[in-house]
Amino acid sequence: MPHDRVHARPPHDPENWRVGTITALAERDGHAVFTVRPEGNQDGAASATVEPVELVVTLAVRDLVLRRLDADEPVGARVWFREHGGG
C-alpha cells in the first residue's frame, strides 16, 4: 500500500509539499488517518473553500509526527504533507 507522507516540521524541499491544518486524527484498518485542511490549493483558492484530505500513514509515522508537534493536541496543528494514495 502506498502511504501518504506527513511532517510536523518544514521539510528540506518545501516546494514539493503542501501545508495544512489537522482537523481530525483516527485509526482505520491498522493505520493512522490524519484529516488535514490544506492552506489553499494550486489554483489559489482560500483554505475555507478547499476540501479536507485524508492522509493514511503507519502508526509509527503517526507517533513520530505527534512527538514532533509543538502542540499538546494535534487537532489545529500545522503540518506538511504529500498524498500518495494511501486511502
Coordinates of all heavy atoms in Angstrom, one line a residue:
M1 N 0.8 -1.2 0.0 CA 0.0 0.0 0.0 C 0.9 1.2 0.0 O 1.8 1.4 0.9 CB -0.9 0.0 1.3 CG -1.5 1.3 1.5 SD -2.4 1.5 3.1 CE -3.9 0.7 2.7
P2 N 0.7 2.2 -0.9 CA 1.5 3.4 -0.9 C 0.9 4.3 0.1 O -0.3 4.7 0.1 CB 1.3 4.0 -2.3 CG 0.0 3.4 -2.8 CD -0.2 2.0 -2.1
H3 N 1.7 4.7 1.1 CA 1.3 5.6 2.2 C 1.5 7.0 1.8 O 2.4 7.4 1.1 CB 2.0 5.2 3.5 CG 1.6 3.9 4.0 ND1 2.4 2.8 3.8 CD2 0.6 3.5 4.8 CE1 1.8 1.8 4.4 NE2 0.7 2.2 5.0
D4 N 0.7 7.9 2.4 CA 0.8 9.3 2.3 C 2.0 9.7 3.2 O 2.5 8.9 4.0 CB -0.5 10.0 2.7 CG -1.6 9.6 1.8 OD1 -1.5 9.7 0.6 OD2 -2.7 9.3 2.3
R5 N 2.4 11.0 3.1 CA 3.5 11.5 3.9 C 3.0 12.7 4.7 O 2.3 13.5 4.2 CB 4.7 11.9 3.0 CG 5.2 10.9 2.0 CD 6.1 9.9 2.6 NE 7.2 10.5 3.3 CZ 8.4 10.8 2.8 NH1 8.6 10.7 1.5 NH2 9.3 11.3 3.5
V6 N 3.5 12.7 6.0 CA 3.2 13.9 6.9 C 4.4 14.2 7.6 O 5.1 13.4 8.1 CB 2.0 13.5 7.8 CG1 1.7 14.6 8.8 CG2 0.8 13.0 7.1
H7 N 4.7 15.5 7.7 CA 5.8 16.1 8.5 C 5.2 17.1 9.5 O 4.4 17.9 9.2 CB 6.8 16.7 7.7 CG 7.8 15.8 7.0 ND1 8.6 14.9 7.6 CD2 8.0 15.7 5.6 CE1 9.3 14.3 6.7 NE2 9.0 14.7 5.5
A8 N 5.8 17.1 10.7 CA 5.4 18.1 11.7 C 6.2 19.3 11.6 O 5.9 20.4 12.1 CB 5.6 17.5 13.2
R9 N 7.4 19.2 10.9 CA 8.3 20.3 10.8 C 8.5 20.6 9.3 O 8.3 19.7 8.5 CB 9.6 20.0 11.4 CG 9.5 19.8 12.9 CD 10.8 19.5 13.6 NE 10.6 19.2 15.0 CZ 11.4 18.4 15.7 NH1 12.5 17.9 15.1 NH2 11.2 18.2 17.0
P10 N 8.9 21.8 8.9 CA 9.1 22.0 7.5 C 10.1 21.1 6.9 O 11.2 20.8 7.5 CB 9.6 23.5 7.5 CG 9.2 24.1 8.7 CD 9.1 23.0 9.7
P11 N 9.8 20.5 5.7 CA 10.7 19.6 5.1 C 11.9 20.3 4.4 O 11.8 21.6 4.2 CB 9.8 18.9 4.0 CG 8.8 19.8 3.8 CD 8.5 20.6 5.0
H12 N 12.9 19.6 4.0 CA 14.1 20.2 3.3 C 13.7 20.8 2.0 O 14.4 21.7 1.5 CB 15.2 19.2 3.3 CG 15.7 18.8 4.6 ND1 16.4 19.7 5.4 CD2 15.7 17.7 5.3 CE1 16.7 19.1 6.5 NE2 16.3 17.8 6.5
D13 N 12.7 20.2 1.3 CA 12.3 20.6 0.0 C 10.8 21.0 0.0 O 10.0 20.4 -0.6 CB 12.5 19.4 -1.0 CG 11.8 18.2 -0.6 OD1 11.3 18.1 0.6 OD2 11.6 17.3 -1.5
P14 N 10.5 22.2 0.7 CA 9.1 22.6 0.9 C 8.3 22.8 -0.4 O 7.1 22.7 -0.4 CB 9.2 23.9 1.7 CG 10.6 24.4 1.5 CD 11.5 23.1 1.2
E15 N 9.0 23.1 -1.5 CA 8.2 23.3 -2.8 C 7.5 22.0 -3.3 O 6.6 22.1 -4.1 CB 9.2 23.8 -3.9 CG 10.3 22.9 -4.3 CD 11.5 22.9 -3.4 OE1 11.6 23.7 -2.4 OE2 12.4 22.0 -3.6
N16 N 7.9 20.9 -2.7 CA 7.3 19.6 -3.1 C 6.2 19.2 -2.2 O 5.7 18.1 -2.3 CB 8.3 18.5 -3.3 CG 9.3 18.8 -4.4 OD1 8.9 19.3 -5.4 ND2 10.6 18.5 -4.1
W17 N 5.8 20.0 -1.2 CA 4.9 19.6 -0.1 C 3.8 20.7 -0.1 O 4.0 21.8 -0.4 CB 5.6 19.6 1.2 CG 6.6 18.5 1.3 CD1 7.9 18.5 0.7 CD2 6.5 17.2 1.9 NE1 8.5 17.4 1.0 CE2 7.7 16.5 1.7 CE3 5.5 16.6 2.6 CZ2 8.0 15.3 2.2 CZ3 5.7 15.3 3.1 CH2 6.9 14.7 2.9
R18 N 2.6 20.3 0.5 CA 1.5 21.2 0.7 C 1.5 21.4 2.3 O 2.0 20.5 3.0 CB 0.2 20.6 0.3 CG 0.2 20.4 -1.2 CD -1.1 19.7 -1.7 NE -2.2 20.6 -1.5 CZ -3.5 20.2 -1.7 NH1 -3.8 18.9 -2.0 NH2 -4.5 21.0 -1.5
V19 N 0.9 22.5 2.7 CA 0.8 22.8 4.1 C -0.7 22.8 4.4 O -1.6 23.2 3.6 CB 1.3 24.2 4.4 CG1 1.2 24.6 5.8 CG2 2.8 24.3 4.0
G20 N -1.0 22.3 5.6 CA -2.4 22.2 6.1 C -2.5 22.1 7.6 O -1.5 22.1 8.3
T21 N -3.7 22.1 8.1 CA -4.0 22.1 9.5 C -4.8 20.8 9.8 O -5.8 20.5 9.1 CB -4.9 23.3 9.9 OG1 -4.2 24.5 9.6 CG2 -5.2 23.3 11.4
I22 N -4.3 20.1 10.8 CA -5.0 18.8 11.2 C -6.4 19.2 11.8 O -6.5 20.0 12.7 CB -4.2 18.1 12.3 CG1 -2.8 17.7 11.7 CG2 -5.0 16.8 12.7 CD1 -1.9 17.1 12.8
T23 N -7.4 18.5 11.2 CA -8.8 18.7 11.7 C -9.3 17.5 12.5 O -10.2 17.6 13.2 CB -9.8 19.1 10.6 OG1 -9.8 18.0 9.7 CG2 -9.4 20.4 9.9
A24 N -8.7 16.3 12.3 CA -9.1 15.1 13.0 C -7.9 14.1 12.8 O -7.1 14.1 11.9 CB -10.4 14.5 12.4
L25 N -7.9 13.1 13.8 CA -7.0 12.0 13.8 C -7.7 10.8 14.2 O -8.4 10.8 15.2 CB -5.8 12.3 14.7 CG -4.7 11.3 14.8 CD1 -4.0 11.2 13.4 CD2 -3.7 11.8 15.8
A26 N -7.6 9.7 13.4 CA -8.3 8.4 13.7 C -7.4 7.3 13.3 O -6.3 7.4 12.8 CB -9.6 8.4 12.9
E27 N -7.9 6.1 13.6 CA -7.3 4.8 13.2 C -8.3 4.0 12.3 O -9.5 4.0 12.6 CB -6.9 3.9 14.4 CG -5.7 4.4 15.1 CD -5.2 3.4 16.1 OE1 -5.3 2.2 16.0 OE2 -4.7 3.9 17.2
R28 N -7.8 3.4 11.3 CA -8.6 2.6 10.4 C -7.8 1.5 9.8 O -6.7 1.7 9.3 CB -9.1 3.5 9.2 CG -10.0 2.8 8.3 CD -10.5 3.6 7.1 NE -10.8 5.0 7.4 CZ -10.4 6.0 6.6 NH1 -9.7 5.8 5.5 NH2 -10.8 7.2 6.9
D29 N -8.2 0.2 10.0 CA -7.6 -0.9 9.4 C -6.1 -1.0 9.8 O -5.2 -1.3 8.9 CB -7.7 -1.0 7.9 CG -9.2 -1.0 7.5 OD1 -10.0 -1.7 8.2 OD2 -9.5 -0.4 6.5
G30 N -5.7 -0.7 11.0 CA -4.4 -0.8 11.4 C -3.5 0.4 11.0 O -2.2 0.3 11.1
H31 N -4.0 1.4 10.5 CA -3.3 2.6 10.0 C -3.8 3.9 10.7 O -5.0 3.9 11.2 CB -3.4 2.8 8.5 CG -2.7 1.8 7.7 ND1 -3.2 0.5 7.5 CD2 -1.5 1.8 7.2 CE1 -2.3 -0.2 6.8 NE2 -1.3 0.6 6.6
A32 N -3.0 4.9 10.7 CA -3.5 6.2 11.2 C -4.0 7.0 10.1 O -3.5 7.0 9.0 CB -2.3 6.9 11.9
V33 N -5.0 7.8 10.3 CA -5.6 8.7 9.3 C -5.7 10.1 9.8 O -6.4 10.4 10.8 CB -7.1 8.2 8.9 CG1 -7.6 9.1 7.9 CG2 -7.1 6.8 8.5
F34 N -4.9 11.0 9.2 CA -4.9 12.4 9.5 C -5.9 13.0 8.6 O -5.7 12.8 7.3 CB -3.5 13.0 9.3 CG -2.5 12.7 10.3 CD1 -1.7 11.6 10.2 CD2 -2.3 13.6 11.4 CE1 -0.7 11.3 11.2 CE2 -1.3 13.4 12.3 CZ -0.5 12.2 12.2
T35 N -6.8 13.8 9.1 CA -7.7 14.6 8.2 C -7.1 16.0 8.3 O -6.9 16.6 9.4 CB -9.1 14.6 8.6 OG1 -9.6 13.2 8.7 CG2 -10.0 15.4 7.7
V36 N -6.7 16.5 7.1 CA -6.0 17.8 7.0 C -6.7 18.8 6.1 O -7.1 18.4 5.0 CB -4.5 17.6 6.5 CG1 -3.8 18.9 6.3 CG2 -3.8 16.7 7.5
R37 N -6.9 20.0 6.5 CA -7.5 21.0 5.6 C -6.3 21.8 5.0 O -5.6 22.5 5.7 CB -8.4 22.0 6.4 CG -8.9 23.1 5.4 CD -10.0 23.9 6.0 NE -11.2 23.1 6.4 CZ -12.2 22.7 5.6 NH1 -12.1 22.9 4.3 NH2 -13.2 22.0 6.1
P38 N -6.1 21.7 3.7 CA -5.0 22.4 3.1 C -5.1 23.9 3.2 O -6.2 24.4 3.2 CB -5.0 21.9 1.6 CG -5.8 20.6 1.6 CD -6.8 20.8 2.8
E39 N -4.0 24.6 3.2 CA -3.9 26.0 3.2 C -4.0 26.4 1.7 O -3.0 26.6 1.1 CB -2.7 26.6 3.8 CG -2.7 26.3 5.3 CD -1.4 26.9 6.0 OE1 -0.6 27.5 5.3 OE2 -1.3 26.7 7.2
G40 N -5.2 26.5 1.1 CA -5.4 26.9 -0.3 C -5.0 25.7 -1.2 O -4.8 24.6 -0.7
N41 N -5.1 26.0 -2.5 CA -4.7 25.0 -3.4 C -3.9 25.6 -4.6 O -3.6 26.8 -4.5 CB -5.9 24.2 -4.0 CG -6.8 25.1 -4.8 OD1 -6.5 26.2 -5.2 ND2 -8.0 24.6 -5.1
Q42 N -3.6 24.8 -5.6 CA -2.7 25.2 -6.6 C -3.4 26.4 -7.4 O -2.7 27.1 -8.1 CB -2.4 24.1 -7.6 CG -1.5 23.1 -6.9 CD -2.2 22.0 -6.1 OE1 -3.4 22.1 -5.9 NE2 -1.5 21.1 -5.5
D43 N -4.7 26.5 -7.4 CA -5.4 27.5 -8.2 C -5.6 28.8 -7.4 O -6.2 29.7 -7.8 CB -6.8 27.0 -8.6 CG -6.7 25.8 -9.5 OD1 -5.8 25.7 -10.3 OD2 -7.6 24.9 -9.4
G44 N -5.1 28.8 -6.1 CA -5.1 30.0 -5.3 C -6.4 30.1 -4.5 O -6.7 31.2 -3.9
A45 N -7.2 29.0 -4.4 CA -8.4 29.1 -3.6 C -8.1 29.2 -2.1 O -7.1 28.7 -1.7 CB -9.3 27.8 -3.8
A46 N -9.0 29.9 -1.4 CA -8.7 30.1 0.0 C -9.0 28.8 0.8 O -9.7 27.9 0.3 CB -9.7 31.1 0.6
S47 N -8.4 28.7 2.0 CA -8.5 27.4 2.8 C -9.9 27.0 3.1 O -10.2 25.9 3.1 CB -7.7 27.6 4.1 OG -6.4 27.8 3.9
A48 N -10.8 28.0 3.3 CA -12.2 27.7 3.7 C -12.9 27.0 2.6 O -13.9 26.3 2.8 CB -12.9 29.0 4.1
T49 N -12.5 27.2 1.3 CA -13.2 26.6 0.2 C -12.5 25.3 -0.3 O -13.0 24.6 -1.2 CB -13.3 27.5 -1.0 OG1 -11.9 27.9 -1.4 CG2 -14.0 28.8 -0.6
V50 N -11.4 24.9 0.3 CA -10.7 23.7 -0.1 C -11.1 22.5 0.8 O -11.2 22.6 2.0 CB -9.1 23.9 0.0 CG1 -8.4 22.6 -0.3 CG2 -8.7 25.0 -0.8
E51 N -11.5 21.4 0.1 CA -11.9 20.2 0.9 C -10.8 19.6 1.7 O -9.7 19.5 1.2 CB -12.5 19.2 -0.1 CG -13.8 19.6 -0.8 CD -14.9 19.7 0.2 OE1 -15.0 18.9 1.1 OE2 -15.7 20.7 0.1
P52 N -11.1 19.1 2.9 CA -10.1 18.4 3.6 C -9.6 17.1 2.9 O -10.4 16.6 2.1 CB -10.8 18.0 5.0 CG -12.0 18.9 5.0 CD -12.3 19.2 3.6
V53 N -8.4 16.7 3.2 CA -7.9 15.4 2.6 C -7.6 14.4 3.8 O -7.3 14.9 4.9 CB -6.7 15.6 1.8 CG1 -6.9 16.5 0.6 CG2 -5.5 16.2 2.6
E54 N -7.8 13.2 3.5 CA -7.4 12.1 4.4 C -6.1 11.5 4.0 O -5.9 11.1 2.9 CB -8.5 11.0 4.5 CG -9.7 11.4 5.2 CD -10.6 10.2 5.4 OE1 -10.4 9.1 4.8 OE2 -11.6 10.3 6.3
L55 N -5.1 11.5 5.0 CA -3.8 11.0 4.8 C -3.6 9.8 5.6 O -3.8 9.8 6.8 CB -2.8 12.1 5.2 CG -2.9 13.4 4.5 CD1 -2.0 14.5 5.2 CD2 -2.6 13.4 3.1
V56 N -3.3 8.7 4.9 CA -3.2 7.4 5.6 C -1.7 7.1 5.7 O -0.9 7.0 4.8 CB -3.9 6.3 4.8 CG1 -3.7 4.9 5.4 CG2 -5.3 6.6 4.6
V57 N -1.3 6.9 7.0 CA 0.1 6.6 7.3 C 0.2 5.4 8.3 O -0.8 5.0 8.9 CB 0.8 7.8 7.9 CG1 0.8 9.0 6.9 CG2 0.2 8.3 9.2
T58 N 1.4 4.9 8.5 CA 1.5 3.9 9.5 C 1.4 4.5 10.9 O 1.5 5.7 11.1 CB 2.9 3.2 9.4 OG1 3.9 4.2 9.7 CG2 3.1 2.6 8.0
L59 N 1.1 3.6 11.9 CA 1.0 4.1 13.3 C 2.4 4.6 13.8 O 2.4 5.6 14.5 CB 0.6 2.9 14.2 CG -0.8 2.4 13.8 CD1 -1.2 1.2 14.8 CD2 -1.9 3.5 14.0
A60 N 3.5 4.1 13.3 CA 4.8 4.6 13.7 C 5.0 6.0 13.2 O 5.6 6.8 13.9 CB 5.9 3.6 13.1
V61 N 4.6 6.3 11.9 CA 4.7 7.6 11.4 C 3.8 8.6 12.2 O 4.2 9.7 12.6 CB 4.4 7.7 9.9 CG1 4.2 9.1 9.4 CG2 5.4 7.0 9.1
R62 N 2.6 8.1 12.5 CA 1.7 9.0 13.4 C 2.4 9.3 14.7 O 2.4 10.5 15.1 CB 0.4 8.2 13.6 CG -0.5 9.0 14.6 CD -1.5 8.2 15.4 NE -0.8 7.2 16.2 CZ -1.4 6.1 16.7 NH1 -2.6 5.9 16.5 NH2 -0.7 5.3 17.4
D63 N 3.0 8.3 15.3 CA 3.6 8.5 16.6 C 4.8 9.5 16.5 O 5.0 10.4 17.3 CB 4.1 7.2 17.2 CG 2.9 6.3 17.6 OD1 1.8 6.8 17.6 OD2 3.2 5.1 17.8
L64 N 5.5 9.4 15.4 CA 6.7 10.3 15.2 C 6.2 11.7 15.0 O 6.7 12.7 15.6 CB 7.5 9.8 14.0 CG 8.7 10.7 13.6 CD1 9.7 10.7 14.7 CD2 9.2 10.2 12.3
V65 N 5.2 11.9 14.2 CA 4.6 13.2 13.9 C 4.1 13.8 15.2 O 4.3 15.0 15.5 CB 3.5 13.2 12.8 CG1 2.8 14.5 12.7 CG2 4.1 12.8 11.5
L66 N 3.3 13.1 16.0 CA 2.8 13.6 17.2 C 3.8 14.0 18.2 O 3.7 15.0 18.9 CB 1.8 12.6 17.9 CG 0.6 12.2 17.0 CD1 -0.3 11.2 17.8 CD2 -0.2 13.5 16.7
R67 N 4.9 13.2 18.3 CA 6.0 13.6 19.2 C 6.7 14.9 18.8 O 7.2 15.7 19.6 CB 7.1 12.5 19.2 CG 6.8 11.4 20.1 CD 8.0 10.5 20.4 NE 8.7 10.1 19.3 CZ 8.6 9.0 18.6 NH1 7.6 8.1 18.9 NH2 9.3 8.7 17.5
R68 N 6.7 15.2 17.5 CA 7.4 16.4 17.0 C 6.6 17.6 16.9 O 7.1 18.7 16.7 CB 8.0 16.1 15.6 CG 9.1 15.1 15.6 CD 9.8 14.9 14.3 NE 11.0 14.0 14.5 CZ 11.7 13.6 13.4 NH1 11.3 14.0 12.2 NH2 12.7 12.9 13.6
L69 N 5.3 17.5 17.1 CA 4.4 18.6 17.1 C 4.7 19.5 18.3 O 4.9 19.0 19.4 CB 2.9 18.2 17.0 CG 2.4 17.7 15.7 CD1 0.9 17.2 15.9 CD2 2.4 18.7 14.6
D70 N 4.6 20.8 18.1 CA 4.8 21.7 19.3 C 3.6 21.8 20.2 O 3.6 22.2 21.3 CB 5.1 23.1 18.8 CG 6.5 23.2 18.1 OD1 7.4 22.4 18.5 OD2 6.7 24.0 17.2
A71 N 2.4 21.3 19.7 CA 1.2 21.4 20.4 C 0.9 20.1 21.2 O 1.3 19.0 20.8 CB 0.0 21.6 19.4
D72 N 0.2 20.3 22.3 CA -0.2 19.1 23.1 C -1.3 18.4 22.4 O -1.5 17.2 22.6 CB -0.7 19.6 24.5 CG 0.4 20.1 25.3 OD1 1.6 19.7 25.2 OD2 0.1 21.0 26.2
E73 N -2.2 19.1 21.7 CA -3.3 18.5 21.0 C -3.0 18.6 19.5 O -2.7 19.7 19.0 CB -4.6 19.2 21.3 CG -5.8 18.9 20.5 CD -6.2 17.5 20.7 OE1 -6.2 16.9 21.8 OE2 -6.7 16.9 19.7
P74 N -3.1 17.4 18.7 CA -2.8 17.5 17.3 C -3.8 18.3 16.5 O -3.4 18.9 15.5 CB -2.7 16.0 16.9 CG -3.5 15.3 17.9 CD -3.4 16.1 19.2
V75 N -5.1 18.3 16.9 CA -6.1 19.0 16.1 C -5.8 20.5 16.2 O -5.6 21.0 17.2 CB -7.5 18.7 16.6 CG1 -8.5 19.6 15.9 CG2 -7.8 17.2 16.4
G76 N -5.7 21.1 15.0 CA -5.3 22.5 14.9 C -3.8 22.8 14.6 O -3.4 23.9 14.3
A77 N -3.0 21.7 14.7 CA -1.6 21.9 14.4 C -1.3 21.9 12.9 O -2.0 21.3 12.1 CB -0.8 20.7 15.0
R78 N -0.3 22.6 12.5 CA 0.1 22.8 11.1 C 1.0 21.7 10.7 O 2.0 21.4 11.5 CB 0.8 24.1 11.0 CG 1.1 24.5 9.5 CD 1.7 25.9 9.5 NE 1.5 26.5 8.2 CZ 2.4 27.3 7.7 NH1 3.5 27.6 8.4 NH2 2.3 27.8 6.5
V79 N 0.8 21.1 9.6 CA 1.7 20.0 9.1 C 2.0 20.2 7.6 O 1.3 20.9 6.9 CB 1.1 18.6 9.3 CG1 1.0 18.2 10.8 CG2 -0.3 18.5 8.6
W80 N 3.0 19.5 7.1 CA 3.4 19.5 5.7 C 3.0 18.1 5.2 O 3.3 17.1 5.9 CB 4.8 19.8 5.5 CG 5.1 21.2 5.8 CD1 5.4 22.2 4.8 CD2 5.3 21.9 7.0 NE1 5.6 23.4 5.4 CE2 5.5 23.2 6.8 CE3 5.1 21.5 8.4 CZ2 5.7 24.2 7.8 CZ3 5.3 22.4 9.4 CH2 5.6 23.7 9.1
F81 N 2.5 18.0 4.0 CA 2.0 16.6 3.6 C 2.1 16.5 2.1 O 2.2 17.4 1.3 CB 0.6 16.4 4.0 CG -0.4 17.2 3.4 CD1 -1.1 16.8 2.2 CD2 -0.8 18.5 3.9 CE1 -2.1 17.5 1.6 CE2 -1.7 19.3 3.2 CZ -2.4 18.8 2.1
R82 N 2.2 15.2 1.7 CA 2.1 14.8 0.2 C 1.2 13.6 0.2 O 1.3 12.7 1.0 CB 3.5 14.4 -0.3 CG 4.4 15.6 -0.4 CD 5.6 15.4 -1.3 NE 6.2 14.1 -1.2 CZ 7.5 13.9 -1.5 NH1 8.3 14.9 -1.8 NH2 8.0 12.7 -1.4
E83 N 0.3 13.6 -0.8 CA -0.6 12.5 -1.0 C 0.0 11.5 -1.9 O 0.5 11.8 -3.0 CB -1.9 13.0 -1.6 CG -2.7 13.9 -0.6 CD -3.9 14.4 -1.3 OE1 -4.9 13.7 -1.2 OE2 -3.9 15.6 -1.8
H84 N -0.1 10.2 -1.6 CA 0.4 9.1 -2.4 C -0.6 8.0 -2.6 O -0.3 6.9 -3.0 CB 1.7 8.5 -1.8 CG 2.9 9.4 -2.0 ND1 3.4 9.7 -3.2 CD2 3.6 10.0 -1.1 CE1 4.5 10.5 -3.0 NE2 4.6 10.7 -1.7
G85 N -1.9 8.3 -2.2 CA -2.9 7.4 -2.4 C -3.0 6.2 -1.4 O -3.3 5.1 -1.8
G86 N -2.8 6.5 -0.1 CA -2.9 5.5 0.9 C -4.3 5.2 1.3 O -4.5 4.4 2.2
G87 N -5.3 5.7 0.7 CA -6.7 5.5 1.1 C -7.3 4.2 0.8 O -7.1 3.3 0.2

